[in-house]
Amino acid sequence: MMQCMKKAHERFALAAIPLALLLVAAAPAAELQVAVSNPPGVGNLVFVLFDSANSFGDFRDPVQAKVLTAENGASHTFTGLPAGEYAVLVFSDLNGNRQLDKNFIGLPIEFIGLSNGYEPRGPPQFKRASFVLEENDSARLEVTLRRILGKHGTWGLGLGVIYQSSPYRGSTEQVLQAIPSLTYVGNRLQVTGPSLRYALLGQGRYRLAAAARYRVGAYDESDSPHLAGMGDRESTVMAGLSLVSELAGGFNLILGYEHDVLGNIGGGVAEAALRKTLQLGPVSVAPALRLNWLSAEVANYDFGVSTKQATPNRPVYAPGSSINPEVGVSVYSELGGHWILQASLGVDFLDSGIQDSPIVDQGQRYHGYLSVFYLF
């Protein structure tokens, strides 16, 4: 009896599988028609649909995408959509490469249109462009193509603060330096607070730029009795090259080298970083892991003791070149209107050669930058 019931149950379960698949296939689906109000006369129009905040933030891994030639019409209908939250991107692909061309920091340089008439002023926010489709919805929306950087780029003005902790023996001083926050973002040139980039090659997954930044001096000799007679460490300008590569899953690989162009320090620094941008509501958060290489000249200048600076309690020491791992995070938020908040915070884990220096007693060094500016 039990054996017969078991076989009957198995037959029922197997028979239910096609029925379940049929019910899934027959689940009510929505459709969405997207029309462009100002279509270009040449090239392609690319219609892209997203259902994920993190994918939308990088304009990658869409739910659906369709490429139409400009002369074949200025609308497309997405079909078979389950109920949910979506956002639409349409862009004008004038050069026919079927990808959204970007500047060095990843902002589109082609004409784009987003749902809700949203015009991003930085990494696009899913919540500002998203809308909800219900089961069996038949919705229509219209987008207008714009160049978000404008004809001559966008610029902003505000106030920024540079922060850096002191790993030096006996020092309780913290570098806290206010600077004007000048921001400019164009197709090639980007200026953000103390750093500058100028795109040289690439508009897709690989982008090469010339880079420069202001580097704060490591310490003043008045910061600690253990630094007396060492002399103040000068600020300088570092310049070099930076390469960004977009990897699968929304990760970016950054490789770069910068050299002291003013000759205040000598030598240079290099970085290898892995970064991913995440959308947390109205805020873009980009955690990063880095390896920072300091040439012997830089490491000796910041953490060494020369023959002239040596004392009985402070022997001659030269740490040589070093590799310092770093964990960091960057934040970008549209505060409302044209106001933008931009911040970064990181902690360097100092190389053992640096930690062995007679003027160092901390294994970490914290640094950051905070800026609030008005984007015109």
Side-chain angles (χ1 to χ4, degrees):
M1 179 67 175
M2 292 298 294
Q3 186 68 21
C4 291
M5 292 181 64
K6 181 178 180 182
K7 290 182 178 180
H9 177 75
E10 290 175 349
R11 286 195 295 272
F12 176 79
L14 290 172
I17 292 175
L19 178 61
L21 292 175
L22 181 62
L23 290 173
V24 171
E31 66 176 31
L32 173 68
Q33 182 186 26
V34 180
V36 178
S37 64
N38 58 338
V42 295
N44 297 327
L45 274 176
V46 183
F47 296 78
V48 194
L49 184 68
F50 298 92
D51 66 351
S52 163
N54 290 327
S55 294
F56 182 75
D58 297 325
F59 292 145
R60 60 174 175 81
D61 301 333
V63 177
Q64 293 187 32
K66 181 67 175 180
V67 181
L68 296 175
T69 59
E71 59 267 21
N72 284 346
S75 69
H76 172 67
T77 301
F78 295 103
T79 59
L81 303 176
E85 189 175 11
Y86 296 93
V88 168
L89 160 71
V90 182
F91 66 91
S92 175
D93 179 27
L94 295 179
N95 59 12
N97 64 359
R98 299 198 173 194
Q99 68 179 13
L100 182 60
D101 295 335
K102 303 174 183 178
N103 66 2
F104 183 77
I105 59 176
L107 292 180
I109 61 176
E110 297 185 288
F111 284 87
I112 71 168
L114 299 175
S115 41
N116 298 340
Y118 172 47
E119 298 181 51
R121 303 184 182 279
Q125 309 295 315
F126 183 71
K127 286 294 182 183
R128 295 180 183 267
S130 65
F131 53 90
V132 174
L133 286 179
E134 304 291 349
E135 293 180 353
N136 287 323
D137 265 359
S138 181
R140 184 183 187 278
L141 62 85
E142 187 174 279
V143 300
T144 301
L145 300 181
R146 301 180 178 89
R147 182 178 288 160
I148 66 172
L149 296 176
K151 187 176 181 180
H152 302 292
T154 61
W155 63 281
L157 188 62
L159 183 65
V161 178
I162 296 174
Y163 167 77
Q164 183 171 288
S165 69
S166 174
Y168 297 100
R169 187 176 303 276
S171 174
T172 59
E173 296 295 325
Q174 310 289 323
V175 174
L176 199 63
Q177 184 172 337
I179 62 171
S181 178
L182 175 64
T183 300
Y184 174 80
V185 181
N187 288 348
R188 288 188 174 273
L189 178 64
Q190 294 92 41
V191 180
T192 307
S195 65
L196 176 152
R197 294 183 179 91
Y198 185 83
L200 299 174
L201 296 171
Q203 297 178 338
R205 293 182 58 190
Y206 302 96
R207 304 187 292 272
L208 178 69
R213 65 183 174 89
Y214 175 72
R215 186 177 192 268
V216 177
Y219 62 81
D220 291 338
E221 65 175 352
S222 60
D223 290 349
S224 166
H226 295 275
L227 298 174
M230 293 288 294
D232 297 342
R233 290 305 181 252
E234 296 185 62
S235 300
T236 192
V237 174
M238 310 292 290
L241 295 174
S242 183
L243 174 69
V244 170
S245 174
E246 293 185 1
L247 307 180
F251 287 92
N252 286 339
L253 175 66
I254 302 116
L255 303 174
Y257 175 80
E258 296 174 348
H259 200 84
D260 172 24
V261 295
L262 300 184
N264 294 341
I265 302 173
V269 298
E271 72 162 344
L274 189 65
R275 182 181 66 198
K276 179 178 175 64
T277 301
L278 304 172
Q279 298 288 322
L280 302 178
V283 180
S284 295
V285 179
L289 298 175
R290 288 185 175 86
L291 288 178
N292 298 314
W293 175 81
L294 276 61
S295 70
E297 294 88 348
V298 174
N300 293 343
Y301 185 79
D302 283 356
F303 304 104
V305 179
S306 70
T307 303
K308 293 181 179 180
Q309 297 162 346
T311 68
N313 297 320
R314 189 173 64 205
V316 172
Y317 187 79
S321 63
S322 65
I323 297 177
N324 306 307
E326 177 189 341
V327 177
V329 63
S330 299
V331 175
Y332 189 98
S333 179
E334 300 177 22
L335 299 177
H338 290 246
W339 286 99
I340 305 294
L341 180 144
Q342 191 167 22
S344 63
L345 179 66
V347 53
D348 293 317
F349 298 92
L350 300 178
D351 185 279
S352 59
I354 291 176
Q355 294 186 48
D356 290 340
S357 169
I359 61 173
V360 172
D361 67 356
Q362 299 291 326
Q364 300 84 34
R365 179 170 58 177
Y366 299 88
H367 55 89
Y369 174 70
L370 173 66
S371 172
V372 176
F373 58 92
Y374 185 88
L375 198 60
F376 295 89

